[in-house]
Amino acid sequence: MKLYIYEHCPFCARARMIFGLKKVPVELHVLLSDDFKTPERMIGEKMVPILQKDDGSYLLESLDIVDYIDHNYGGKPILTGVRSPEIAELIKQFQQYDYRLECPRYIKMGFAEFATQSAINDFVASKSNKMGAFADCMAQTDTLVSAVSNILDRLEPFIISPDACNGSLSLDDICLFPVLRNLTCVKELNFPDKIRSYLQSMSKLSQVDLFFERAI
Ligand SMILES: N[C@@H](CCC(=O)N[C@@H](CS)C(=O)NCC(=O)O)C(=O)O
């Protein structure tokens, strides 16, 4: 199977996680951020993640990919834990701030989807339309870091185990880990101990990398 992704994309990280957690082999292909033709040829629109199944057909929507792999590959389903409404609510709260912290950093981190200047230009144009100029977002770093730190502090008590946020693996891990992973691109952000352990453990189990070493 082949999985088409962007390295920074949290929905792609969801799909990548299930392959790593179940030790199911998959070929990762990173598309350039301004490559419209490849995804349009495959699925009729520019959107990742895209899974190309063994029979050549395509599956999109991260949670559909997760469900397909969990139920059809690598033994019994593993995402059997109960979800927590508190975690779902805290994920929504991060989303008010995280894009403004992350997008201006993504283009400086050496991701394969931004290997060309035209890919960077396309991303900057489309995102700054929605969130304002990247330089203004960078200038808001202190305020945004303080808002996100507050949410991290509120999240910490809900992380029951470093190997599964609710104590046994569930869709909450698939939705939470990618959001926290993307925040590791922000150098100024300090993660509470339990969240840092969760990030490190889940990264190892799912084989999805963190960005601490190249944080800006
Ligand atoms: N609901 C979709 C959302 C996927 C999504 O929004 N992907 C973004 C990348 S993070 C995308 O491909 N956007 C189109 C673009 O970059 O032009 C899923 O869960 O797979």
Side-chain angles (χ1 to χ4, degrees), residues 88-127:
E89 175 53 33
L90 288 161
I91 290 174
K92 272 196 216 144
Q93 294 189 22
F94 283 122
Q95 287 164 347
Q96 296 174 50
Y97 308 103
D98 57 4
Y99 260 41
R100 277 177 289 156
L101 275 171
E102 293 158 356
C103 287
R105 289 171 168 82
Y106 292 155
I107 54 170
K108 299 177 184 166
M109 292 175 61
F111 294 142
E113 61 268 30
F114 300 128
T116 64
Q117 191 58 45
S118 84
I120 293 176
N121 293 348
D122 185 78
F123 182 80
V124 173
S126 93
K127 299 295 174 191

Short mmCIF file of all heavy atoms in Angstrom, two decimals, residues 88-127:
data_model
loop_
_atom_site.label_atom_id
_atom_site.label_comp_id
_atom_site.label_asym_id
_atom_site.label_seq_id
_atom_site.Cartn_x
_atom_site.Cartn_y
_atom_site.Cartn_z
N ALA A 88 -11.67 15.53 23.56
CA ALA A 88 -12.22 16.10 22.31
C ALA A 88 -12.37 17.61 22.46
O ALA A 88 -12.04 18.38 21.54
CB ALA A 88 -13.56 15.46 22.00
N GLU A 89 -12.83 18.07 23.60
CA GLU A 89 -13.03 19.50 23.84
C GLU A 89 -11.68 20.25 23.87
O GLU A 89 -11.54 21.33 23.29
CB GLU A 89 -13.79 19.68 25.17
CG GLU A 89 -13.97 21.12 25.63
CD GLU A 89 -14.59 22.03 24.57
OE1 GLU A 89 -15.42 21.55 23.76
OE2 GLU A 89 -14.21 23.24 24.55
N LEU A 90 -10.66 19.64 24.49
CA LEU A 90 -9.35 20.29 24.57
C LEU A 90 -8.69 20.36 23.18
O LEU A 90 -8.03 21.35 22.85
CB LEU A 90 -8.46 19.58 25.60
CG LEU A 90 -8.91 19.84 27.05
CD1 LEU A 90 -8.35 18.79 28.01
CD2 LEU A 90 -8.50 21.24 27.51
N ILE A 91 -8.89 19.33 22.36
CA ILE A 91 -8.36 19.37 20.99
C ILE A 91 -8.94 20.58 20.25
O ILE A 91 -8.22 21.31 19.58
CB ILE A 91 -8.67 18.05 20.22
CG1 ILE A 91 -7.85 16.90 20.80
CG2 ILE A 91 -8.41 18.20 18.73
CD1 ILE A 91 -8.18 15.53 20.22
N LYS A 92 -10.25 20.81 20.42
CA LYS A 92 -10.89 21.96 19.76
C LYS A 92 -10.26 23.27 20.23
O LYS A 92 -10.08 24.20 19.46
CB LYS A 92 -12.37 22.00 20.11
CG LYS A 92 -13.22 21.18 19.18
CD LYS A 92 -14.70 21.58 19.36
CE LYS A 92 -15.56 20.34 19.20
NZ LYS A 92 -16.72 20.31 20.08
N GLN A 93 -9.93 23.32 21.52
CA GLN A 93 -9.34 24.57 22.04
C GLN A 93 -7.96 24.84 21.44
O GLN A 93 -7.65 25.98 21.12
CB GLN A 93 -9.29 24.51 23.57
CG GLN A 93 -10.69 24.50 24.15
CD GLN A 93 -10.69 24.65 25.65
OE1 GLN A 93 -9.75 25.15 26.25
NE2 GLN A 93 -11.78 24.22 26.27
N PHE A 94 -7.13 23.78 21.29
CA PHE A 94 -5.82 24.00 20.65
C PHE A 94 -6.00 24.61 19.27
O PHE A 94 -5.21 25.44 18.84
CB PHE A 94 -5.08 22.66 20.46
CG PHE A 94 -4.44 22.11 21.72
CD1 PHE A 94 -4.78 20.85 22.20
CD2 PHE A 94 -3.49 22.84 22.42
CE1 PHE A 94 -4.19 20.33 23.34
CE2 PHE A 94 -2.89 22.33 23.57
CZ PHE A 94 -3.25 21.06 24.03
N GLN A 95 -7.05 24.16 18.57
CA GLN A 95 -7.23 24.58 17.18
C GLN A 95 -7.50 26.07 17.00
O GLN A 95 -7.36 26.60 15.91
CB GLN A 95 -8.30 23.71 16.50
CG GLN A 95 -7.74 22.30 16.25
CD GLN A 95 -8.78 21.25 15.95
OE1 GLN A 95 -9.97 21.48 16.16
NE2 GLN A 95 -8.35 20.09 15.48
N GLN A 96 -7.84 26.74 18.09
CA GLN A 96 -8.00 28.21 17.98
C GLN A 96 -6.66 28.92 17.82
O GLN A 96 -6.61 30.06 17.42
CB GLN A 96 -8.64 28.76 19.26
CG GLN A 96 -10.04 28.28 19.52
CD GLN A 96 -10.47 28.78 20.89
OE1 GLN A 96 -10.36 29.96 21.20
NE2 GLN A 96 -10.94 27.87 21.72
N TYR A 97 -5.56 28.25 18.23
CA TYR A 97 -4.26 28.94 18.27
C TYR A 97 -3.17 28.26 17.44
O TYR A 97 -2.24 28.92 17.00
CB TYR A 97 -3.74 28.99 19.72
CG TYR A 97 -4.73 29.56 20.69
CD1 TYR A 97 -5.46 28.73 21.55
CD2 TYR A 97 -4.98 30.93 20.74
CE1 TYR A 97 -6.40 29.25 22.43
CE2 TYR A 97 -5.91 31.46 21.62
CZ TYR A 97 -6.62 30.61 22.46
OH TYR A 97 -7.55 31.13 23.32
N ASP A 98 -3.26 26.93 17.27
CA ASP A 98 -2.07 26.21 16.81
C ASP A 98 -1.66 26.55 15.37
O ASP A 98 -0.46 26.65 15.09
CB ASP A 98 -2.18 24.70 17.05
CG ASP A 98 -3.40 24.04 16.41
OD1 ASP A 98 -4.14 24.73 15.69
OD2 ASP A 98 -3.59 22.82 16.64
N TYR A 99 -2.61 26.78 14.47
CA TYR A 99 -2.22 27.06 13.08
C TYR A 99 -1.36 28.30 12.96
O TYR A 99 -0.42 28.33 12.19
CB TYR A 99 -3.48 27.18 12.19
CG TYR A 99 -3.75 25.92 11.41
CD1 TYR A 99 -3.59 24.66 12.00
CD2 TYR A 99 -4.14 25.97 10.07
CE1 TYR A 99 -3.82 23.50 11.30
CE2 TYR A 99 -4.37 24.79 9.35
CZ TYR A 99 -4.21 23.57 9.97
OH TYR A 99 -4.43 22.42 9.26
N ARG A 100 -1.70 29.32 13.76
CA ARG A 100 -0.92 30.57 13.67
C ARG A 100 0.51 30.38 14.20
O ARG A 100 1.45 31.03 13.76
CB ARG A 100 -1.62 31.71 14.42
CG ARG A 100 -2.70 32.37 13.58
CD ARG A 100 -3.43 33.44 14.34
NE ARG A 100 -4.28 32.86 15.37
CZ ARG A 100 -4.68 33.49 16.47
NH1 ARG A 100 -4.28 34.73 16.70
NH2 ARG A 100 -5.47 32.90 17.33
N LEU A 101 0.66 29.46 15.16
CA LEU A 101 2.02 29.17 15.65
C LEU A 101 2.78 28.31 14.65
O LEU A 101 3.99 28.49 14.45
CB LEU A 101 1.95 28.38 16.97
CG LEU A 101 1.81 29.16 18.26
CD1 LEU A 101 1.53 28.21 19.42
CD2 LEU A 101 3.07 29.98 18.55
N GLU A 102 2.07 27.37 14.03
CA GLU A 102 2.76 26.32 13.27
C GLU A 102 3.03 26.67 11.81
O GLU A 102 4.13 26.43 11.31
CB GLU A 102 1.93 25.03 13.33
CG GLU A 102 1.87 24.45 14.74
CD GLU A 102 0.68 23.52 14.96
OE1 GLU A 102 -0.15 23.37 14.04
OE2 GLU A 102 0.57 22.94 16.05
N CYS A 103 2.04 27.23 11.12
CA CYS A 103 2.21 27.42 9.66
C CYS A 103 3.46 28.22 9.30
O CYS A 103 4.21 27.82 8.40
CB CYS A 103 0.95 28.02 9.05
SG CYS A 103 -0.38 26.83 8.98
N PRO A 104 3.74 29.35 9.99
CA PRO A 104 4.95 30.10 9.60
C PRO A 104 6.23 29.31 9.87
O PRO A 104 7.27 29.59 9.27
CB PRO A 104 4.91 31.35 10.49
CG PRO A 104 3.58 31.37 11.14
CD PRO A 104 3.02 29.98 11.09
N ARG A 105 6.16 28.34 10.77
CA ARG A 105 7.34 27.53 11.09
C ARG A 105 7.52 26.37 10.09
O ARG A 105 8.64 26.03 9.73
CB ARG A 105 7.25 27.00 12.53
CG ARG A 105 7.44 28.12 13.55
CD ARG A 105 7.14 27.69 14.97
NE ARG A 105 7.61 28.70 15.93
CZ ARG A 105 6.93 29.81 16.26
NH1 ARG A 105 5.74 30.05 15.72
NH2 ARG A 105 7.45 30.69 17.10
N TYR A 106 6.40 25.79 9.67
CA TYR A 106 6.48 24.62 8.77
C TYR A 106 7.39 24.87 7.57
O TYR A 106 8.16 24.00 7.18
CB TYR A 106 5.10 24.26 8.20
CG TYR A 106 4.07 23.72 9.17
CD1 TYR A 106 2.71 23.86 8.90
CD2 TYR A 106 4.43 23.03 10.32
CE1 TYR A 106 1.74 23.36 9.74
CE2 TYR A 106 3.46 22.52 11.18
CZ TYR A 106 2.12 22.69 10.88
OH TYR A 106 1.15 22.19 11.70
N ILE A 107 7.28 26.06 6.99
CA ILE A 107 8.01 26.31 5.74
C ILE A 107 9.52 26.45 5.95
O ILE A 107 10.29 26.51 5.00
CB ILE A 107 7.48 27.57 5.01
CG1 ILE A 107 7.51 28.78 5.95
CG2 ILE A 107 6.08 27.33 4.46
CD1 ILE A 107 7.22 30.10 5.22
N LYS A 108 9.95 26.49 7.23
CA LYS A 108 11.39 26.65 7.50
C LYS A 108 12.00 25.37 8.06
O LYS A 108 13.12 25.37 8.55
CB LYS A 108 11.59 27.77 8.55
CG LYS A 108 11.09 29.11 8.10
CD LYS A 108 11.26 30.12 9.22
CE LYS A 108 10.68 31.46 8.83
NZ LYS A 108 10.53 32.34 10.00
N MET A 109 11.24 24.27 8.06
CA MET A 109 11.70 23.09 8.79
C MET A 109 12.22 21.96 7.92
O MET A 109 12.49 20.87 8.41
CB MET A 109 10.57 22.60 9.69
CG MET A 109 10.32 23.61 10.81
SD MET A 109 8.94 23.19 11.82
CE MET A 109 9.46 21.63 12.46
N GLY A 110 12.35 22.22 6.63
CA GLY A 110 12.94 21.21 5.76
C GLY A 110 11.99 20.07 5.37
O GLY A 110 12.45 18.99 5.00
N PHE A 111 10.69 20.29 5.46
CA PHE A 111 9.74 19.25 5.06
C PHE A 111 9.78 19.05 3.54
O PHE A 111 9.90 20.03 2.78
CB PHE A 111 8.30 19.63 5.45
CG PHE A 111 8.06 19.69 6.92
CD1 PHE A 111 7.22 20.66 7.47
CD2 PHE A 111 8.63 18.76 7.78
CE1 PHE A 111 6.97 20.72 8.84
CE2 PHE A 111 8.38 18.81 9.15
CZ PHE A 111 7.55 19.79 9.68
N ALA A 112 9.60 17.78 3.14
CA ALA A 112 9.70 17.46 1.71
C ALA A 112 8.62 18.15 0.87
O ALA A 112 8.83 18.43 -0.31
CB ALA A 112 9.64 15.94 1.52
N GLU A 113 7.46 18.44 1.46
CA GLU A 113 6.39 19.11 0.68
C GLU A 113 6.76 20.56 0.34
O GLU A 113 6.12 21.17 -0.51
CB GLU A 113 5.04 19.07 1.42
CG GLU A 113 4.97 19.75 2.77
CD GLU A 113 5.27 18.77 3.91
OE1 GLU A 113 6.05 17.83 3.69
OE2 GLU A 113 4.74 18.98 5.02
N PHE A 114 7.78 21.08 1.03
CA PHE A 114 8.22 22.46 0.76
C PHE A 114 9.63 22.49 0.17
O PHE A 114 10.43 23.37 0.47
CB PHE A 114 8.17 23.29 2.06
CG PHE A 114 6.79 23.36 2.67
CD1 PHE A 114 6.59 23.02 4.00
CD2 PHE A 114 5.70 23.74 1.91
CE1 PHE A 114 5.31 23.07 4.57
CE2 PHE A 114 4.42 23.79 2.47
CZ PHE A 114 4.23 23.45 3.80
N ALA A 115 9.93 21.49 -0.66
CA ALA A 115 11.29 21.37 -1.21
C ALA A 115 11.56 22.41 -2.30
O ALA A 115 12.72 22.61 -2.66
CB ALA A 115 11.51 19.97 -1.76
N THR A 116 10.52 23.04 -2.84
CA THR A 116 10.75 24.04 -3.88
C THR A 116 10.18 25.39 -3.41
O THR A 116 9.24 25.43 -2.59
CB THR A 116 10.05 23.67 -5.22
OG1 THR A 116 8.64 23.66 -4.98
CG2 THR A 116 10.49 22.30 -5.72
N GLN A 117 10.71 26.48 -3.97
CA GLN A 117 10.22 27.81 -3.59
C GLN A 117 8.76 27.97 -4.03
O GLN A 117 7.97 28.59 -3.33
CB GLN A 117 11.11 28.90 -4.21
CG GLN A 117 10.84 30.30 -3.68
CD GLN A 117 11.01 30.40 -2.16
OE1 GLN A 117 11.98 29.90 -1.58
NE2 GLN A 117 10.05 31.04 -1.47
N SER A 118 8.40 27.37 -5.15
CA SER A 118 7.01 27.56 -5.61
C SER A 118 6.04 26.82 -4.68
O SER A 118 4.92 27.29 -4.46
CB SER A 118 6.85 27.19 -7.08
OG SER A 118 6.65 25.83 -7.24
N ALA A 119 6.46 25.70 -4.09
CA ALA A 119 5.61 25.00 -3.12
C ALA A 119 5.42 25.87 -1.87
O ALA A 119 4.32 25.99 -1.33
CB ALA A 119 6.22 23.66 -2.75
N ILE A 120 6.50 26.51 -1.44
CA ILE A 120 6.42 27.41 -0.27
C ILE A 120 5.49 28.59 -0.59
O ILE A 120 4.59 28.92 0.19
CB ILE A 120 7.82 27.91 0.14
CG1 ILE A 120 8.67 26.75 0.66
CG2 ILE A 120 7.73 29.04 1.17
CD1 ILE A 120 10.11 27.10 1.00
N ASN A 121 5.71 29.19 -1.76
CA ASN A 121 4.92 30.37 -2.12
C ASN A 121 3.42 30.04 -2.16
O ASN A 121 2.59 30.83 -1.68
CB ASN A 121 5.34 30.89 -3.50
CG ASN A 121 6.76 31.44 -3.47
OD1 ASN A 121 7.34 31.64 -2.40
ND2 ASN A 121 7.33 31.68 -4.64
N ASP A 122 3.09 28.88 -2.69
CA ASP A 122 1.69 28.48 -2.79
C ASP A 122 1.07 28.32 -1.39
O ASP A 122 -0.05 28.77 -1.13
CB ASP A 122 1.62 27.16 -3.57
CG ASP A 122 0.20 26.73 -3.83
OD1 ASP A 122 -0.40 27.29 -4.76
OD2 ASP A 122 -0.31 25.86 -3.10
N PHE A 123 1.83 27.71 -0.48
CA PHE A 123 1.35 27.49 0.88
C PHE A 123 1.17 28.83 1.61
O PHE A 123 0.14 29.08 2.24
CB PHE A 123 2.36 26.60 1.63
CG PHE A 123 1.97 26.24 3.04
CD1 PHE A 123 1.07 25.21 3.29
CD2 PHE A 123 2.53 26.91 4.13
CE1 PHE A 123 0.72 24.86 4.60
CE2 PHE A 123 2.19 26.56 5.44
CZ PHE A 123 1.28 25.54 5.67
N VAL A 124 2.18 29.69 1.48
CA VAL A 124 2.11 30.99 2.15
C VAL A 124 0.90 31.78 1.65
O VAL A 124 0.13 32.33 2.45
CB VAL A 124 3.42 31.80 1.94
CG1 VAL A 124 3.29 33.22 2.50
CG2 VAL A 124 4.61 31.09 2.59
N ALA A 125 0.70 31.78 0.34
CA ALA A 125 -0.43 32.54 -0.22
C ALA A 125 -1.75 31.99 0.29
O ALA A 125 -2.62 32.75 0.74
CB ALA A 125 -0.38 32.49 -1.75
N SER A 126 -1.91 30.67 0.28
CA SER A 126 -3.22 30.14 0.66
C SER A 126 -3.47 30.28 2.16
O SER A 126 -4.58 30.60 2.58
CB SER A 126 -3.40 28.71 0.15
OG SER A 126 -3.03 27.78 1.12
N LYS A 127 -2.46 30.08 2.99
CA LYS A 127 -2.68 30.18 4.45
C LYS A 127 -2.78 31.62 4.92
O LYS A 127 -3.58 31.93 5.81
CB LYS A 127 -1.57 29.46 5.23
CG LYS A 127 -1.46 27.99 4.94
CD LYS A 127 -2.69 27.22 5.40
CE LYS A 127 -2.62 25.77 4.97
NZ LYS A 127 -3.84 25.01 5.13
#
